[in-house]
């Protein structure tokens, strides 16, 4: 049985916080629906102290942001964007259109159709998360989406230059400085100044994730990508400093970030907890990380690798860092996770910022039913079919007619029968729903 050396807050407390967020989001989306731009302007003032009548940046404002970055900054952003684009293109290449003859004269297929208009949210309340611009905008463009618009909140009551640069360099068609529920609502519902999109993507805090969830149906969403979570699976092949650094590296995202250590070694567990206390004293973002570690950090000691696997699948964390003597065994056997980071030479920050895999990933156990954002999320896989011979049309028609009548659908049966008459030369009077029989072999 696993033993907890440290536990996080219980589920009830989290559920109460979720209820409050749900109510706030519902009220604000209703207001945006009713009052459009007027609501957006007020909300932006209220939550972000950001006053503007038009939130779209002009080309001049975009150029001004680009000019504030150093050559090194621009080179680094370009490097990261190239990695994200290369991987997205390789993934796109695995998605082939399909044409298959399933019976003589019966041809079925599917094709991948890019979604026309996409709204990409780039979070930036606590940190200007420019990497989210690459993850959403570039991936949408690789998919072939025509209109890709993007919203990020102001940072320190003005546009964050690095975020704007990343949005522009990624190829965004419209850039808005707008955050939180008001950004999500404006993109999905539309206002006098912003045309609505077909799909919302991108990570964000609990308000952003909940707003996307409530708007799902009216628009598509990528997945539930709320506050970051991380899980480290480690044995004695690594030390406490490495584990502590990887846990705190993600705990700094926000005060509700679960960072969990699963290990077979109580010695490593205790060493990691001590290291965390030492590092929290010197980490400049330690205040946030300390709060999330105190409230949501967990340390679980397991008896075996199999037990760690079961626990990891139960936790279904957004990020899973594996540093053991059998990393590929975990890759081959884990089933619930957003993204895997295998071996001590890589880590979650590489994925977050630069290596090329997408960092928008499922949280709150959504990893049980979805992977992260990828080029396939921006495509609709739509089927088509055709019947190319008379014999095939009549043969499928006879089955279709009988199966329709089993459901009581006479009109459906007639759609089939008219073809059985014309292409099969069978005389079935209209409106009888007569079902020609076949001999079933014994
Ligand atoms: N799951 C993923 O893939 C992933 C990836 C990266 C980041 N993240 C998460 O993104 C989040 C970013 O959060 P953030 O807060 O820094 O930026 P954010 O851009 O998501 O949210 C900032 C906005 O929240 C709104 N807001 C703040 N307090 C509010 C309140 N009380 N009521 C209504 N609206 C309010 C404001 O309008 C503000 O513009 C973090 O939680 C991080 O963990 C997740
Ligand atoms: Zn991160």
């Amino acid at each position: 049985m696993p033993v907890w050396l440290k536990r996080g807050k219980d589920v009830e407390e989290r559920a109460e916080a979720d209820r409050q967020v749900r109510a706030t989001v519902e009220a604000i989306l209703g207001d945006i629906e009713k009052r459009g731009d007027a609501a957006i302007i007020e909300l932006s003032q209220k939550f972000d102290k950001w006053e503007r009548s038009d939130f779209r940046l002009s080309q001049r404002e975009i150029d001004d942001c680009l000019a504030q970055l150093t050559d090194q900054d621009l080179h680094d952003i370009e490097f990261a964007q190239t990695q994200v684009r290369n991987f997205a293109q390789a993934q796109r290449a695995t998605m082939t259109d399909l044409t298959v003859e399933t019976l003589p004269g019966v041809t079925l297929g599917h094709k991948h159709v890019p979604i026309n208009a996409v709204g990409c949210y780039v979070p930036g309340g606590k940190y200007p998360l420019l990497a989210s611009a690459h993850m959403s905008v570039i991936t949408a463009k690789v998919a072939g989406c025509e209109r890709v618009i993007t919203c990020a909140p102001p940072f320190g009551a003005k546009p964050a230059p690095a975020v704007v640069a990343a949005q522009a360099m990624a190829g965004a068609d419209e850039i808005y400085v707008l955050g939180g529920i008001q950004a999500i609502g404006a993109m999905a519902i539309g206002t006098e100044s912003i045309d609505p999109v077909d799909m919302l993507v991108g990570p964000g805090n609990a308000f952003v994730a909940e707003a996307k969830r409530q708007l799902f149906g009216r628009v598509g969403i990528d997945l539930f990508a709320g506050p970051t979570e991380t899980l480290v699976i480690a044995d004695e092949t690594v030390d406490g400093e490495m584990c502590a650094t990887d846990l705190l590296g993600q705990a700094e995202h926000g005060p509700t970030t679960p960072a969990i250590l699963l290990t077979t070694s109580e010695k490593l567990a205790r060493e990691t907890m001590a290291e965390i206390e030492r590092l929290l004293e010197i980490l400049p973002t330690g205040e946030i990380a300390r709060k999330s570690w105190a409230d949501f950090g967990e340390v679980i000691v397991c008896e075996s690798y199999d037990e760690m696997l079961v626990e990891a699948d139960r936790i279904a964390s957004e990020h899973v860092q594996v540093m053991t003597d059998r990393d590929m065994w975990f890759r081959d056997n884990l089933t619930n996770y957003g993204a895997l980071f295998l071996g001590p030479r890589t880590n979650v920050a590489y994925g977050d910022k630069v290596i090329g895999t997408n960092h928008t990933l499922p949280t709150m156990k959504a990893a049980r039913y979805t992977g992260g954002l990828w080029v396939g999320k921006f495509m609709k896989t739509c089927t088509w079919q055709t019947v190319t011979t008379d014999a095939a049309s009549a043969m499928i028609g006879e089955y279709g007619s009988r199966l329709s009548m089993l459901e009581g659908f006479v009109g459906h049966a007639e759609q089939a029968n008219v073809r059985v008459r014309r292409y099969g030369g069978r005389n079935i009077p209209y409106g009888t729903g007569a079902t020609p029989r076949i001999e079933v072999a014994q």
Side-chain angles (χ1 to χ4, degrees):
M1 289 287 283
V3 175
W4 269 255
L5 297 189
K6 179 183 182 316
R7 269 187 194 277
K9 268 191 181 170
D10 72 16
V11 180
E12 251 321 293
E13 261 177 279
R14 293 187 210 182
E16 178 47 36
D18 290 350
R19 272 192 285 280
Q20 286 169 12
V21 170
R22 274 205 295 278
T24 304
V25 168
E26 206 175 336
I28 291 179
L29 290 179
D31 191 27
I32 295 170
E33 182 97 57
K34 244 190 266 142
R35 298 194 299 127
D37 279 335
I40 304 289
I41 290 167
E42 267 178 45
L43 292 161
S44 194
Q45 267 170 347
K46 177 175 170 191
F47 291 117
D48 292 327
K49 308 204 165 23
W50 174 234
E51 292 193 34
R52 247 176 107 114
S53 55
D54 173 10
F55 295 96
R56 182 166 176 189
L57 292 184
S58 65
Q59 190 55 50
R60 202 164 147 190
E61 290 172 302
I62 295 168
D63 292 341
D64 183 48
C65 285
L66 282 159
Q68 291 176 53
L69 299 189
T70 65
D71 286 348
Q72 182 74 58
D73 295 336
L74 295 171
H75 170 80
D76 293 347
I77 293 172
E78 204 168 287
F79 179 82
Q81 295 199 335
T82 302
Q83 310 319 307
V84 172
R85 188 177 294 107
N86 287 347
F87 188 58
Q89 282 169 345
Q91 287 191 297
R92 175 66 185 90
T94 68
M95 296 179 67
T96 46
D97 287 357
L98 170 70
T99 300
V100 57
E101 197 174 36
T102 52
L103 289 167
V106 175
T107 304
L108 311 182
H110 73 215
K111 62 178 222 169
H112 303 293
V113 184
I115 290 162
N116 287 317
V118 172
C120 303
Y121 187 74
V122 176
K126 287 182 276 306
Y127 303 92
L129 256 171
L130 63 121
S132 290
H134 332 320
M135 304 299 171
S136 298
V137 177
I138 289 179
T139 312
K141 283 292 175 191
V142 170
C145 301
E146 190 104 333
R147 176 169 170 250
V148 181
I149 75 170
T150 173
C151 283
F155 189 72
K158 63 181 186 53
V163 173
V164 174
Q167 289 167 314
M169 290 161 72
D173 298 301
E174 299 159 33
I175 299 174
Y176 297 88
V177 180
L178 196 56
I181 310 166
Q182 56 275 21
I184 295 294
M187 289 195 284
I189 296 165
T191 69
E192 299 90 318
S193 66
I194 303 178
D195 282 339
V197 296
D198 303 315
M199 186 189 195
L200 294 169
V201 303
N205 64 17
F207 295 101
V208 168
E210 174 59 18
K212 281 170 64 190
R213 200 187 62 78
Q214 289 190 16
L215 287 159
F216 175 58
R218 178 172 194 149
V219 291
I221 65 169
D222 48 355
L223 55 133
F224 194 86
T228 294
E229 307 161 352
T230 203
L231 172 67
V232 173
I233 301 178
D235 62 14
E236 283 186 10
T237 58
V238 281
D239 56 42
E241 184 191 15
M242 194 77 132
C243 295
T245 304
D246 285 343
L247 291 164
L248 291 183
Q250 297 304 310
E252 78 174 356
H253 265 286
T256 57
T257 293
I260 304 177
L261 174 67
L262 261 186
T263 178
T264 41
S265 161
E266 183 173 342
K267 175 170 168 282
L268 178 69
R270 296 203 180 277
E271 209 180 288
T272 301
M273 288 165 78
E275 270 298 294
I276 284 178
E277 294 311 319
R278 184 180 74 82
L279 295 176
L280 276 173
E281 291 298 316
I282 48 178
L283 182 67
T285 52
E287 203 182 319
I288 297 178
R290 183 184 294 283
K291 178 142 182 43
S292 67
W293 178 247
D295 289 350
F296 296 99
E298 300 203 0
V299 175
I300 309 170
V301 179
C302 293
E303 280 171 14
S304 65
Y305 290 91
D306 285 305
E307 199 171 87
M308 289 206 286
L309 189 76
V310 170
E311 279 303 297
D313 274 338
R314 180 189 61 78
I315 295 166
S317 182
E318 177 195 1
H319 303 109
V320 180
Q321 166 102 34
V322 186
M323 296 185 289
T324 65
D325 66 6
R326 62 197 74 185
D327 301 335
M328 292 304 163
W329 178 81
F330 280 99
R331 180 199 64 184
D332 295 342
N333 291 287
L334 274 171
T335 59
N336 295 339
Y337 60 87
L340 272 182
F341 303 82
L342 297 162
R345 290 180 190 80
T346 188
N347 67 87
V348 176
Y350 286 8
D352 272 356
K353 311 298 172 203
V354 64
I355 209 165
T357 51
N358 208 293
H359 85 185
T360 299
L361 298 164
T363 60
M364 306 277 286
K365 293 186 185 281
R368 288 170 304 139
Y369 57 82
T370 183
L373 186 57
W374 75 293
V375 69
K377 292 257 183 200
F378 292 99
M379 323 275 302
K380 298 171 287 182
T381 303
C382 303
T383 57
W384 57 268
Q385 48 157 291
T386 189
V387 175
T388 54
T389 65
D390 290 354
S393 180
M395 185 273 284
I396 294 287
E398 291 186 6
Y399 278 98
S401 166
R402 288 193 297 274
L403 289 165
S404 298
M405 289 308 290
L406 269 183
E407 296 180 349
F409 277 121
V410 187
H412 285 67
E414 290 305 340
Q415 287 186 271
N417 287 346
V418 68
R419 279 144 183 114
V420 176
R421 274 197 298 277
R422 293 203 186 174
Y423 302 117
R426 300 276 301 267
N427 184 21
I428 311 158
Y430 183 86
T432 61
T435 55
R437 291 183 190 285
I438 50 168
E439 288 297 312
V440 177
Q442 293 302 312

